Amino acid sequence: MKNSKDIGLLIIRVVIGITMIAFHGLGKLMGGPDTWTKIGGSLSNIGINFTPMLFGLSASLIETVGSLLFILGLWTRPVAALLAVTMLIAAISHLSRGDGFSGASHAIELLAIYIGFILIGPGKYSIDKK
């Protein structure tokens, strides 16, 4: 039971990271410029209306490459911060479309997880701790 917290953090990092890559990041990354522009357009909800393709590509890379780093526990806190910002924008986008909290709940849940990792770190079983 001594290592149970660290094993728990590892399990959360691996499961969240794999699902984020498989169901969110990779599809967006492979979607190309049209997809990136649509994703980057979400920033208009907070008044950012320039270079949506670049912002969409950045979000896709964060969700894919950032999630891989999250799994490995490499640069966990900065990566979790980038993922948290991405989820905050996703939640705002859902809410502004009228999806309500049920539509934004997944992004809000992931936002909470990433904030938790910013605060507590990746645990013992990570590259950051080696």
Side-chain angles (χ1 to χ4, degrees):
M1 292 303 271
K2 180 181 170 197
N3 295 325
S4 61
K5 178 189 106 180
D6 294 304
I7 292 170
L9 292 171
L10 174 63
I11 291 168
I12 294 168
R13 283 195 347 260
V14 169
V15 171
I16 294 297
I18 288 172
T19 59
M20 191 66 156
I21 292 168
F23 301 118
H24 301 283
L26 200 54
K28 291 173 186 167
L29 190 59
M30 302 306 284
D34 290 338
T35 301
W36 304 335
T37 301
K38 181 179 176 190
I39 294 164
S42 298
L43 288 172
S44 66
N45 293 311
I46 60 169
I48 299 173
N49 297 307
F50 57 92
T51 63
M53 187 175 77
L54 179 62
F55 282 116
L57 173 59
S58 297
S60 301
L61 285 167
I62 290 164
E63 289 183 5
T64 307
V65 178
S67 293
L68 178 60
L69 295 172
F70 188 72
I71 290 167
L72 297 172
L74 178 59
W75 302 317
T76 306
R77 284 184 164 110
V79 166
L82 291 170
L83 286 161
V85 169
T86 304
M87 292 302 102
L88 176 62
I89 299 302
I92 291 169
S93 180
H94 281 288
L95 293 171
S96 69
R97 281 198 309 252
D99 296 339
F101 283 104
S102 64
S105 66
H106 187 60
I108 294 168
E109 292 158 358
L110 288 169
L111 172 61
I113 289 169
Y114 295 132
I115 290 171
F117 275 90
I118 293 167
L119 296 173
I120 63 174
K124 181 168 71 172
Y125 303 113
S126 65
I127 294 175
D128 285 345
K129 294 295 178 181
K130 299 294 175 203

